[in-house]
Amino acid sequence: MTIPTETAGQAPDESSALWLARLRADGAEREAALGELHELLLRAARFEIGRRRESLSHLRPGDHEELACQTADDALLAILAKLDDFRGESRFTTWAYKFALLEAGVKVRRRAWQGKEIPLEEEAWATFAGAARAERGAEDRELFAAIGEEIERSLGARQREVLVAIALNDVPIDVLAERLHSNRGAIYKNLHDARRKLRAALAERGFELDLYLDRKEER
Amino acid sequence: MSEPTGRRRGDGALLDALLGPGVPELGCDECFAELDRYVELELARREVDDLVPGMRAHLAGCPACAEEYRSLRDLLGADEVRAPR
Ligand SMILES: [Zn+2]
């Protein structure tokens, strides 16, 4: 998709321009800017790790701070490598924050799943069949049965694996990407293709999916 | 405006997770590239869906990107409270 960028090409605001200039300077000025940026990233990392505390309940308190420091370090490196990509479409600090939040999110999700097996497809199917049986209306049971059949029949092996892991087993995409030696973008592409195929197969069988989804929403 | 969420809630959540948003959407990399601009526009109460098409659909379909979106929005919100302009 192309994105209309009404703000594209505009110069960064004053404070963002100052950040860029200081980070591209030499010596003491750059050092100072790096220190301030690291502080900012640490704040974002602590914020993110703090709000995901319950998924990290197996960590000791000191581990949270260590994770926050690692996050800030990694985010700082990512930012410095991508400094030329900053187009001034937001404040520099907002742009920088997102790197820390991404790093923190990925680290927290991976920590939370460390040492955990990804559930097998068969287990997921048992859960799915249970959910399908619990549907009250005959129409809903029919739809769930068709979804089960089409997941088996219409999807490629990788598409099925990714859809089952993410949609049925709630495996975080970054955890799945790591185990499959892939990356988030590629795994999401698999997920997206699986969903598209599934929708097409169901539409072909006469299911009006938007009606189902709207009705579910209303309940 | 309903908030994009990756969390299970209600009856239709499983169907949503299986079937996705069903409309054109950004990929994860494009989503990350637009995230800072999107959140600032949203906080400025601009028409984000017109300005960054495909973003809301992606946030509805991708739990991980949706978490990062909510975090950035809330972090900026917390900054506003600390230092009102
Ligand atoms: Zn995504």
Side-chain angles (χ1 to χ4, degrees):
Chain A
M1 283 181 78
T2 51
I3 297 152
T5 44
E6 68 151 28
T7 47
Q10 79 182 26
D13 64 274
E14 220 172 292
S15 112
S16 300
L18 188 61
W19 270 109
L20 288 181
R22 292 173 67 217
L23 287 168
R24 287 179 175 137
D26 300 313
E29 196 179 4
R30 179 164 195 266
E31 286 306 313
L34 287 175
E36 283 168 42
L37 182 54
H38 192 269
E39 250 336 281
L40 204 80
L41 299 173
L42 197 54
R43 176 174 137 62
R46 286 179 182 139
F47 177 87
E48 182 64 15
I49 290 165
R51 61 160 42 197
R52 313 240 166 266
R53 210 158 267 276
E54 80 255 40
S55 69
L56 293 168
S57 52
H58 56 295
L59 294 189
R60 288 160 303 160
D63 293 343
H64 291 108
E65 188 55 21
E66 199 189 309
L67 197 60
C69 289
Q70 278 172 18
T71 298
D73 293 350
D74 292 350
L76 184 62
L77 288 179
I79 286 169
L80 294 177
K82 296 208 164 100
L83 212 50
D84 291 340
D85 292 355
F86 176 67
R87 292 163 302 180
E89 292 177 346
S90 69
R91 279 170 285 169
F92 177 77
T93 49
T94 306
W95 182 77
Y97 273 157
K98 74 176 177 178
F99 287 89
L101 296 175
L102 172 70
E103 285 292 341
V106 171
K107 281 183 168 54
V108 168
R109 286 189 279 270
R110 287 184 179 164
R111 277 291 168 98
W113 276 73
Q114 219 166 42
K116 261 208 259 181
E117 293 284 333
I118 288 182
L120 296 171
E121 276 190 36
E122 291 84 81
E123 296 167 21
W125 281 119
T127 314
F128 180 73
R133 270 196 302 276
E135 290 293 333
R136 278 184 295 266
E139 264 181 278
D140 291 339
R141 281 199 296 274
E142 207 185 315
L143 174 63
F144 272 83
I147 288 175
E149 285 163 24
E150 294 303 334
I151 289 177
E152 299 262 31
R153 183 162 58 199
S154 300
L155 305 185
R158 173 54 79 96
Q159 290 167 350
R160 187 182 311 120
E161 183 179 23
V162 168
L163 182 72
V164 166
I166 294 177
L168 294 184
N169 288 327
D170 280 331
V171 179
I173 194 165
D174 305 304
V175 173
L176 189 63
E178 190 181 37
R179 309 247 173 134
L180 296 177
H181 308 290
S182 183
N183 58 65
R184 186 192 292 190
I187 296 293
Y188 194 81
K189 176 85 169 55
N190 295 145
L191 178 67
H192 182 260
D193 292 346
R195 285 165 164 174
R196 199 165 36 82
K197 270 199 188 172
L198 193 54
R199 275 179 176 266
L202 292 167
E204 192 145 302
R205 289 173 66 158
F207 289 99
E208 294 192 54
L209 295 175
D210 291 334
L211 286 182
Y212 277 95
L213 292 167
D214 287 349
R215 219 176 49 215
K216 291 272 184 193
E217 206 112 284
E218 281 163 20
R219 278 184 208 161
Chain B
M1 264 192 320
S2 66
E3 177 182 316
T5 171
R7 301 243 169 220
R8 287 287 152 85
R9 47 158 201 206
D11 214 13
L14 180 58
L15 275 186
D16 284 336
L18 284 165
L19 299 173
V23 291
E25 56 174 301
L26 299 181
C28 293
D29 295 339
E30 296 163 303
C31 172
F32 185 73
E34 294 294 334
L35 189 61
D36 47 321
R37 182 168 84 101
Y38 183 83
V39 171
E40 281 194 0
L41 287 169
E42 194 182 52
L43 289 175
R45 305 197 179 284
R46 302 286 302 279
E47 291 299 322
V48 278
D49 294 330
D50 297 335
L51 295 170
V52 194
M55 185 75 162
R56 181 173 300 275
H58 183 69
L59 296 177
C62 181
C65 288
E67 277 188 6
E68 282 140 24
Y69 153 76
R70 285 192 297 269
S71 295
L72 186 59
R73 187 196 60 192
D74 295 350
L75 181 59
L76 291 184
D79 273 356
E80 294 281 308
V81 172
R82 282 190 344 158
R85 287 182 299 171

